[in-house]
Amino acid sequence: MSNEKFKIGNLSGKGLIIAAAASILVVGAAGFYSYSRISDKLNAEIIGENRNDTLSADGGNSDSVGTDINAPVDAAQTDVVKKETSVTVTETEPAESAAVTAEASEGEKPSAVQTEPFPTTMVRPLNGEVLNDFSAGELVKSKTLNVWKTHDGVDIAGAMDEKVKSMTGGTVTKVYEDQMMGACVVIDHGNGFEGYYCNLSKDIPVSEGQSVSAGTVIGAVGNTAQNEISEAPHLHFAIKKNGEWIDPIALISGEGS
């Protein structure tokens, strides 16, 4: 009798163990299932929040800007507006500078015009010999005044009433009678050169403001210069360049017509 009770008690103990194990398995399975459901839900919520954040940063869903959010990162973007650079401006500057230089060059006078002192056509006012040279600021003794003084021109010998000609073209700026140099004609020959034709006869055929050419008769040899009255009849011929006396003979390139 006691053996049968022992067997029954022994079987009951094993049954309890099996039942407990089964219960643990059931509880574990239910827990794992619940955990999986909760984990999936959390993951879905996290993914959804990240997606919403991304869309918010882009200013709305992808259709509002015409961009597919699923497109590859390195896909070519054809709707990006390219900024213009300053290359075009740099490339055109030389052409503009060249145009400005060309315009400035067109407005400039040829250098030959600026440097050439006189036209090529030039005549000698009188064909006689030089009686007294240009003194270049040195003192020389005057035969008439018997004093030492500068001689600012040249004295060219000539017969009384022999015609005196303009050395080159210009404009008559003054016709006058000087107390010491007699009857005089002043001609502006251009480029800063002025010609002084003195000791002329009082009958002068040109007037102030008149244009003359090389060889134009502007007067005749006289004896009106009181400070050179002791000299033989002659033309006192002098040249100023920019207000300074220079040697007139150095400028004469040809004999009379």
Side-chain angles (χ1 to χ4, degrees), residues 131-173:
L131 300 176
N132 296 299
D133 294 322
F134 174 67
S135 71
E138 297 293 330
L139 297 176
V140 294
K141 192 171 184 179
S142 168
K143 293 180 181 179
T144 301
L145 302 177
N146 197 30
V147 297
W148 292 87
K149 62 187 293 291
T150 61
H151 192 244
D152 298 324
V154 294
D155 295 334
I156 304 174
M160 287 293 293
D161 296 326
E162 184 177 351
K163 293 178 179 179
V164 175
K165 303 169 185 177
S166 175
M167 181 181 67
T168 187
T171 302
V172 177
T173 58

mmCIF file of all heavy atoms in Angstrom, residues 131-173:
data_model
loop_
_atom_site.group_PDB
_atom_site.id
_atom_site.type_symbol
_atom_site.label_atom_id
_atom_site.label_comp_id
_atom_site.label_asym_id
_atom_site.label_seq_id
_atom_site.Cartn_x
_atom_site.Cartn_y
_atom_site.Cartn_z
ATOM 1 N N LEU A 131 75.692 141.243 -92.954
ATOM 2 C CA LEU A 131 76.629 142.266 -92.498
ATOM 3 C C LEU A 131 76.970 142.088 -91.024
ATOM 4 O O LEU A 131 78.130 142.265 -90.616
ATOM 5 C CB LEU A 131 76.030 143.667 -92.715
ATOM 6 C CG LEU A 131 75.678 144.033 -94.160
ATOM 7 C CD1 LEU A 131 75.012 145.411 -94.216
ATOM 8 C CD2 LEU A 131 76.920 144.013 -95.050
ATOM 9 N N ASN A 132 76.004 141.778 -90.209
ATOM 10 C CA ASN A 132 76.213 141.588 -88.772
ATOM 11 C C ASN A 132 75.461 140.337 -88.331
ATOM 12 O O ASN A 132 74.270 140.179 -88.616
ATOM 13 C CB ASN A 132 75.715 142.797 -87.973
ATOM 14 C CG ASN A 132 76.495 144.056 -88.287
ATOM 15 O OD1 ASN A 132 77.705 144.120 -88.070
ATOM 16 N ND2 ASN A 132 75.804 145.060 -88.825
ATOM 17 N N ASP A 133 76.184 139.454 -87.651
ATOM 18 C CA ASP A 133 75.618 138.164 -87.226
ATOM 19 C C ASP A 133 74.786 138.305 -85.951
ATOM 20 O O ASP A 133 74.845 139.310 -85.241
ATOM 21 C CB ASP A 133 76.741 137.155 -86.986
ATOM 22 C CG ASP A 133 77.487 136.803 -88.263
ATOM 23 O OD1 ASP A 133 76.831 136.686 -89.310
ATOM 24 O OD2 ASP A 133 78.734 136.677 -88.205
ATOM 25 N N PHE A 134 74.065 137.248 -85.668
ATOM 26 C CA PHE A 134 73.331 137.111 -84.406
ATOM 27 C C PHE A 134 74.355 136.904 -83.302
ATOM 28 O O PHE A 134 75.250 136.051 -83.398
ATOM 29 C CB PHE A 134 72.381 135.913 -84.506
ATOM 30 C CG PHE A 134 71.666 135.564 -83.243
ATOM 31 C CD1 PHE A 134 70.714 136.414 -82.706
ATOM 32 C CD2 PHE A 134 71.934 134.365 -82.581
ATOM 33 C CE1 PHE A 134 70.032 136.091 -81.539
ATOM 34 C CE2 PHE A 134 71.259 134.026 -81.428
ATOM 35 C CZ PHE A 134 70.304 134.896 -80.898
ATOM 36 N N SER A 135 74.256 137.671 -82.206
ATOM 37 C CA SER A 135 75.296 137.630 -81.176
ATOM 38 C C SER A 135 75.036 136.601 -80.074
ATOM 39 O O SER A 135 75.895 136.404 -79.208
ATOM 40 C CB SER A 135 75.472 139.016 -80.536
ATOM 41 O OG SER A 135 74.341 139.333 -79.726
ATOM 42 N N ALA A 136 73.848 135.963 -80.084
ATOM 43 C CA ALA A 136 73.526 134.913 -79.118
ATOM 44 C C ALA A 136 73.714 135.375 -77.682
ATOM 45 O O ALA A 136 74.224 134.643 -76.822
ATOM 46 C CB ALA A 136 74.347 133.649 -79.392
ATOM 47 N N GLY A 137 73.325 136.623 -77.402
ATOM 48 C CA GLY A 137 73.412 137.146 -76.041
ATOM 49 C C GLY A 137 74.735 137.787 -75.706
ATOM 50 O O GLY A 137 74.867 138.396 -74.636
ATOM 51 N N GLU A 138 75.721 137.674 -76.591
ATOM 52 C CA GLU A 138 77.028 138.302 -76.347
ATOM 53 C C GLU A 138 76.974 139.784 -76.737
ATOM 54 O O GLU A 138 76.224 140.192 -77.625
ATOM 55 C CB GLU A 138 78.118 137.588 -77.159
ATOM 56 C CG GLU A 138 78.325 136.135 -76.783
ATOM 57 C CD GLU A 138 78.890 135.979 -75.379
ATOM 58 O OE1 GLU A 138 79.634 136.882 -74.931
ATOM 59 O OE2 GLU A 138 78.597 134.956 -74.730
ATOM 60 N N LEU A 139 77.779 140.582 -76.071
ATOM 61 C CA LEU A 139 77.843 142.009 -76.366
ATOM 62 C C LEU A 139 78.746 142.265 -77.568
ATOM 63 O O LEU A 139 79.858 141.729 -77.664
ATOM 64 C CB LEU A 139 78.357 142.788 -75.155
ATOM 65 C CG LEU A 139 77.493 142.730 -73.885
ATOM 66 C CD1 LEU A 139 78.182 143.481 -72.732
ATOM 67 C CD2 LEU A 139 76.115 143.303 -74.135
ATOM 68 N N VAL A 140 78.256 143.071 -78.499
ATOM 69 C CA VAL A 140 79.047 143.502 -79.665
ATOM 70 C C VAL A 140 78.947 145.023 -79.759
ATOM 71 O O VAL A 140 77.965 145.630 -79.303
ATOM 72 C CB VAL A 140 78.556 142.850 -80.969
ATOM 73 C CG1 VAL A 140 78.795 141.343 -80.941
ATOM 74 C CG2 VAL A 140 77.084 143.158 -81.203
ATOM 75 N N LYS A 141 79.954 145.641 -80.378
ATOM 76 C CA LYS A 141 79.975 147.107 -80.441
ATOM 77 C C LYS A 141 79.155 147.615 -81.623
ATOM 78 O O LYS A 141 79.338 147.171 -82.755
ATOM 79 C CB LYS A 141 81.412 147.617 -80.547
ATOM 80 C CG LYS A 141 81.525 149.124 -80.321
ATOM 81 C CD LYS A 141 82.976 149.551 -80.219
ATOM 82 C CE LYS A 141 83.066 151.044 -79.895
ATOM 83 N NZ LYS A 141 84.469 151.515 -79.748
ATOM 84 N N SER A 142 78.228 148.510 -81.351
ATOM 85 C CA SER A 142 77.394 149.110 -82.383
ATOM 86 C C SER A 142 78.161 150.238 -83.086
ATOM 87 O O SER A 142 78.706 151.135 -82.414
ATOM 88 C CB SER A 142 76.110 149.677 -81.766
ATOM 89 O OG SER A 142 75.421 150.488 -82.684
ATOM 90 N N LYS A 143 78.214 150.204 -84.439
ATOM 91 C CA LYS A 143 78.911 151.239 -85.199
ATOM 92 C C LYS A 143 78.187 152.578 -85.083
ATOM 93 O O LYS A 143 78.820 153.652 -85.078
ATOM 94 C CB LYS A 143 79.012 150.847 -86.668
ATOM 95 C CG LYS A 143 79.893 149.654 -86.932
ATOM 96 C CD LYS A 143 79.932 149.334 -88.426
ATOM 97 C CE LYS A 143 80.792 148.107 -88.709
ATOM 98 N NZ LYS A 143 80.813 147.790 -90.154
ATOM 99 N N THR A 144 76.889 152.532 -84.997
ATOM 100 C CA THR A 144 76.105 153.762 -84.937
ATOM 101 C C THR A 144 76.121 154.367 -83.541
ATOM 102 O O THR A 144 76.364 155.573 -83.366
ATOM 103 C CB THR A 144 74.653 153.488 -85.351
ATOM 104 O OG1 THR A 144 74.634 152.962 -86.676
ATOM 105 C CG2 THR A 144 73.816 154.757 -85.286
ATOM 106 N N LEU A 145 75.878 153.539 -82.511
ATOM 107 C CA LEU A 145 75.753 154.038 -81.137
ATOM 108 C C LEU A 145 77.084 154.069 -80.409
ATOM 109 O O LEU A 145 77.207 154.710 -79.360
ATOM 110 C CB LEU A 145 74.754 153.168 -80.356
ATOM 111 C CG LEU A 145 73.341 153.085 -80.943
ATOM 112 C CD1 LEU A 145 72.493 152.130 -80.110
ATOM 113 C CD2 LEU A 145 72.688 154.463 -81.010
ATOM 114 N N ASN A 146 78.068 153.331 -80.946
ATOM 115 C CA ASN A 146 79.410 153.261 -80.343
ATOM 116 C C ASN A 146 79.341 152.749 -78.902
ATOM 117 O O ASN A 146 80.071 153.205 -78.015
ATOM 118 C CB ASN A 146 80.110 154.631 -80.392
ATOM 119 C CG ASN A 146 81.614 154.530 -80.171
ATOM 120 O OD1 ASN A 146 82.230 153.514 -80.522
ATOM 121 N ND2 ASN A 146 82.211 155.575 -79.586
ATOM 122 N N VAL A 147 78.487 151.784 -78.690
ATOM 123 C CA VAL A 147 78.362 151.132 -77.376
ATOM 124 C C VAL A 147 78.335 149.623 -77.594
ATOM 125 O O VAL A 147 78.071 149.131 -78.708
ATOM 126 C CB VAL A 147 77.089 151.588 -76.640
ATOM 127 C CG1 VAL A 147 77.153 153.102 -76.335
ATOM 128 C CG2 VAL A 147 75.835 151.247 -77.435
ATOM 129 N N TRP A 148 78.591 148.931 -76.491
ATOM 130 C CA TRP A 148 78.523 147.473 -76.542
ATOM 131 C C TRP A 148 77.109 147.033 -76.174
ATOM 132 O O TRP A 148 76.576 147.423 -75.134
ATOM 133 C CB TRP A 148 79.533 146.856 -75.578
ATOM 134 C CG TRP A 148 80.950 147.092 -76.007
ATOM 135 C CD1 TRP A 148 81.729 148.164 -75.731
ATOM 136 C CD2 TRP A 148 81.714 146.202 -76.784
ATOM 137 N NE1 TRP A 148 82.960 148.033 -76.296
ATOM 138 C CE2 TRP A 148 82.987 146.817 -76.950
ATOM 139 C CE3 TRP A 148 81.504 144.945 -77.379
ATOM 140 C CZ2 TRP A 148 84.035 146.225 -77.686
ATOM 141 C CZ3 TRP A 148 82.536 144.368 -78.091
ATOM 142 C CH2 TRP A 148 83.772 144.983 -78.250
ATOM 143 N N LYS A 149 76.505 146.227 -77.026
ATOM 144 C CA LYS A 149 75.133 145.757 -76.821
ATOM 145 C C LYS A 149 74.926 144.439 -77.568
ATOM 146 O O LYS A 149 75.729 144.071 -78.430
ATOM 147 C CB LYS A 149 74.114 146.794 -77.308
ATOM 148 C CG LYS A 149 74.209 147.085 -78.781
ATOM 149 C CD LYS A 149 73.312 148.245 -79.212
ATOM 150 C CE LYS A 149 71.847 147.933 -79.084
ATOM 151 N NZ LYS A 149 71.415 146.925 -80.068
ATOM 152 N N THR A 150 73.888 143.738 -77.205
ATOM 153 C CA THR A 150 73.580 142.485 -77.918
ATOM 154 C C THR A 150 72.973 142.798 -79.268
ATOM 155 O O THR A 150 72.330 143.840 -79.455
ATOM 156 C CB THR A 150 72.598 141.619 -77.111
ATOM 157 O OG1 THR A 150 71.379 142.334 -76.932
ATOM 158 C CG2 THR A 150 73.179 141.225 -75.763
ATOM 159 N N HIS A 151 73.181 141.894 -80.220
ATOM 160 C CA HIS A 151 72.548 142.017 -81.545
ATOM 161 C C HIS A 151 71.634 140.803 -81.700
ATOM 162 O O HIS A 151 72.095 139.683 -81.908
ATOM 163 C CB HIS A 151 73.605 142.072 -82.654
ATOM 164 C CG HIS A 151 73.056 142.486 -83.971
ATOM 165 N ND1 HIS A 151 73.058 141.647 -85.072
ATOM 166 C CD2 HIS A 151 72.475 143.659 -84.371
ATOM 167 C CE1 HIS A 151 72.515 142.287 -86.100
ATOM 168 N NE2 HIS A 151 72.165 143.524 -85.699
ATOM 169 N N ASP A 152 70.333 141.050 -81.567
ATOM 170 C CA ASP A 152 69.372 139.952 -81.461
ATOM 171 C C ASP A 152 68.835 139.449 -82.797
ATOM 172 O O ASP A 152 67.869 138.683 -82.827
ATOM 173 C CB ASP A 152 68.185 140.397 -80.581
ATOM 174 C CG ASP A 152 68.636 140.730 -79.158
ATOM 175 O OD1 ASP A 152 69.553 140.049 -78.660
ATOM 176 O OD2 ASP A 152 68.066 141.658 -78.575
ATOM 177 N N GLY A 153 69.423 139.867 -83.876
ATOM 178 C CA GLY A 153 69.021 139.382 -85.196
ATOM 179 C C GLY A 153 70.220 139.377 -86.121
ATOM 180 O O GLY A 153 71.376 139.349 -85.668
ATOM 181 N N VAL A 154 69.963 139.365 -87.418
ATOM 182 C CA VAL A 154 71.025 139.461 -88.424
ATOM 183 C C VAL A 154 70.699 140.639 -89.337
ATOM 184 O O VAL A 154 69.527 140.954 -89.576
ATOM 185 C CB VAL A 154 71.169 138.164 -89.248
ATOM 186 C CG1 VAL A 154 71.649 137.019 -88.374
ATOM 187 C CG2 VAL A 154 69.852 137.805 -89.932
ATOM 188 N N ASP A 155 71.756 141.304 -89.863
ATOM 189 C CA ASP A 155 71.583 142.388 -90.829
ATOM 190 C C ASP A 155 71.956 141.850 -92.209
ATOM 191 O O ASP A 155 73.117 141.476 -92.438
ATOM 192 C CB ASP A 155 72.473 143.587 -90.469
ATOM 193 C CG ASP A 155 72.061 144.225 -89.149
ATOM 194 O OD1 ASP A 155 70.863 144.099 -88.783
ATOM 195 O OD2 ASP A 155 72.927 144.833 -88.485
ATOM 196 N N ILE A 156 70.981 141.795 -93.111
ATOM 197 C CA ILE A 156 71.203 141.266 -94.459
ATOM 198 C C ILE A 156 71.240 142.451 -95.439
ATOM 199 O O ILE A 156 70.281 143.229 -95.515
ATOM 200 C CB ILE A 156 70.087 140.281 -94.866
ATOM 201 C CG1 ILE A 156 69.983 139.149 -93.822
ATOM 202 C CG2 ILE A 156 70.342 139.718 -96.246
ATOM 203 C CD1 ILE A 156 68.823 138.196 -94.056
ATOM 204 N N ALA A 157 72.337 142.558 -96.148
ATOM 205 C CA ALA A 157 72.527 143.699 -97.059
ATOM 206 C C ALA A 157 71.544 143.657 -98.217
ATOM 207 O O ALA A 157 71.175 142.572 -98.705
ATOM 208 C CB ALA A 157 73.959 143.721 -97.590
ATOM 209 N N GLY A 158 71.139 144.826 -98.691
ATOM 210 C CA GLY A 158 70.229 144.927 -99.823
ATOM 211 C C GLY A 158 70.183 146.338 -100.358
ATOM 212 O O GLY A 158 70.531 147.294 -99.647
ATOM 213 N N ALA A 159 69.741 146.485 -101.577
ATOM 214 C CA ALA A 159 69.616 147.822 -102.170
ATOM 215 C C ALA A 159 68.377 148.504 -101.611
ATOM 216 O O ALA A 159 67.416 147.860 -101.195
ATOM 217 C CB ALA A 159 69.523 147.703 -103.681
ATOM 218 N N MET A 160 68.428 149.831 -101.602
ATOM 219 C CA MET A 160 67.262 150.584 -101.143
ATOM 220 C C MET A 160 66.044 150.207 -101.981
ATOM 221 O O MET A 160 66.119 150.089 -103.210
ATOM 222 C CB MET A 160 67.545 152.079 -101.240
ATOM 223 C CG MET A 160 68.505 152.614 -100.187
ATOM 224 S SD MET A 160 67.822 152.552 -98.516
ATOM 225 C CE MET A 160 66.484 153.744 -98.619
ATOM 226 N N ASP A 161 64.959 150.052 -101.317
ATOM 227 C CA ASP A 161 63.662 149.684 -101.912
ATOM 228 C C ASP A 161 63.641 148.274 -102.522
ATOM 229 O O ASP A 161 62.697 147.922 -103.237
ATOM 230 C CB ASP A 161 63.252 150.709 -102.987
ATOM 231 C CG ASP A 161 63.011 152.087 -102.399
ATOM 232 O OD1 ASP A 161 62.529 152.162 -101.238
ATOM 233 O OD2 ASP A 161 63.306 153.079 -103.077
ATOM 234 N N GLU A 162 64.655 147.461 -102.233
ATOM 235 C CA GLU A 162 64.611 146.051 -102.673
ATOM 236 C C GLU A 162 63.535 145.323 -101.880
ATOM 237 O O GLU A 162 63.382 145.519 -100.677
ATOM 238 C CB GLU A 162 65.983 145.399 -102.478
ATOM 239 C CG GLU A 162 66.036 143.978 -102.996
ATOM 240 C CD GLU A 162 67.418 143.350 -102.875
ATOM 241 O OE1 GLU A 162 68.383 144.074 -102.541
ATOM 242 O OE2 GLU A 162 67.536 142.131 -103.104
ATOM 243 N N LYS A 163 62.782 144.453 -102.565
ATOM 244 C CA LYS A 163 61.647 143.780 -101.927
ATOM 245 C C LYS A 163 62.104 142.798 -100.841
ATOM 246 O O LYS A 163 63.064 142.041 -101.030
ATOM 247 C CB LYS A 163 60.836 143.045 -102.987
ATOM 248 C CG LYS A 163 60.131 143.964 -103.975
ATOM 249 C CD LYS A 163 59.378 143.180 -105.031
ATOM 250 C CE LYS A 163 58.664 144.119 -106.001
ATOM 251 N NZ LYS A 163 57.948 143.372 -107.064
ATOM 252 N N VAL A 164 61.369 142.814 -99.751
ATOM 253 C CA VAL A 164 61.596 141.899 -98.625
ATOM 254 C C VAL A 164 60.439 140.919 -98.585
ATOM 255 O O VAL A 164 59.267 141.320 -98.685
ATOM 256 C CB VAL A 164 61.710 142.672 -97.300
ATOM 257 C CG1 VAL A 164 61.829 141.698 -96.124
ATOM 258 C CG2 VAL A 164 62.901 143.622 -97.335
ATOM 259 N N LYS A 165 60.759 139.638 -98.428
ATOM 260 C CA LYS A 165 59.751 138.577 -98.484
ATOM 261 C C LYS A 165 59.583 137.871 -97.132
ATOM 262 O O LYS A 165 60.523 137.812 -96.328
ATOM 263 C CB LYS A 165 60.148 137.545 -99.545
ATOM 264 C CG LYS A 165 60.347 138.150 -100.928
ATOM 265 C CD LYS A 165 60.984 137.160 -101.873
ATOM 266 C CE LYS A 165 61.291 137.801 -103.226
ATOM 267 N NZ LYS A 165 61.967 136.874 -104.145
ATOM 268 N N SER A 166 58.387 137.340 -96.947
ATOM 269 C CA SER A 166 58.136 136.519 -95.752
ATOM 270 C C SER A 166 58.895 135.206 -95.881
ATOM 271 O O SER A 166 58.855 134.546 -96.935
ATOM 272 C CB SER A 166 56.633 136.247 -95.612
ATOM 273 O OG SER A 166 56.380 135.358 -94.542
ATOM 274 N N MET A 167 59.611 134.832 -94.833
ATOM 275 C CA MET A 167 60.428 133.614 -94.886
ATOM 276 C C MET A 167 59.566 132.380 -95.124
ATOM 277 O O MET A 167 59.949 131.470 -95.853
ATOM 278 C CB MET A 167 61.208 133.458 -93.578
ATOM 279 C CG MET A 167 62.115 132.238 -93.524
ATOM 280 S SD MET A 167 62.991 132.100 -91.962
ATOM 281 C CE MET A 167 61.648 131.772 -90.846
ATOM 282 N N THR A 168 58.400 132.306 -94.484
ATOM 283 C CA THR A 168 57.484 131.187 -94.679
ATOM 284 C C THR A 168 56.073 131.678 -94.372
ATOM 285 O O THR A 168 55.873 132.862 -94.110
ATOM 286 C CB THR A 168 57.865 129.989 -93.781
ATOM 287 O OG1 THR A 168 57.062 128.871 -94.122
ATOM 288 C CG2 THR A 168 57.690 130.305 -92.312
ATOM 289 N N GLY A 169 55.099 130.789 -94.449
ATOM 290 C CA GLY A 169 53.725 131.201 -94.234
ATOM 291 C C GLY A 169 53.461 131.648 -92.804
ATOM 292 O O GLY A 169 54.194 131.313 -91.871
ATOM 293 N N GLY A 170 52.388 132.426 -92.621
ATOM 294 C CA GLY A 170 52.027 132.887 -91.285
ATOM 295 C C GLY A 170 50.970 133.968 -91.339
ATOM 296 O O GLY A 170 50.323 134.183 -92.357
ATOM 297 N N THR A 171 50.803 134.651 -90.226
ATOM 298 C CA THR A 171 49.825 135.725 -90.096
ATOM 299 C C THR A 171 50.511 136.975 -89.584
ATOM 300 O O THR A 171 51.267 136.921 -88.595
ATOM 301 C CB THR A 171 48.706 135.333 -89.118
ATOM 302 O OG1 THR A 171 48.074 134.140 -89.578
ATOM 303 C CG2 THR A 171 47.661 136.435 -89.013
ATOM 304 N N VAL A 172 50.274 138.109 -90.249
ATOM 305 C CA VAL A 172 50.832 139.379 -89.806
ATOM 306 C C VAL A 172 50.126 139.783 -88.509
ATOM 307 O O VAL A 172 48.903 139.937 -88.477
ATOM 308 C CB VAL A 172 50.643 140.476 -90.875
ATOM 309 C CG1 VAL A 172 51.178 141.819 -90.356
ATOM 310 C CG2 VAL A 172 51.351 140.085 -92.165
ATOM 311 N N THR A 173 50.893 139.911 -87.439
ATOM 312 C CA THR A 173 50.301 140.262 -86.142
ATOM 313 C C THR A 173 50.518 141.725 -85.774
ATOM 314 O O THR A 173 49.772 142.273 -84.950
ATOM 315 C CB THR A 173 50.889 139.375 -85.023
ATOM 316 O OG1 THR A 173 52.305 139.540 -84.995
ATOM 317 C CG2 THR A 173 50.538 137.912 -85.253
#
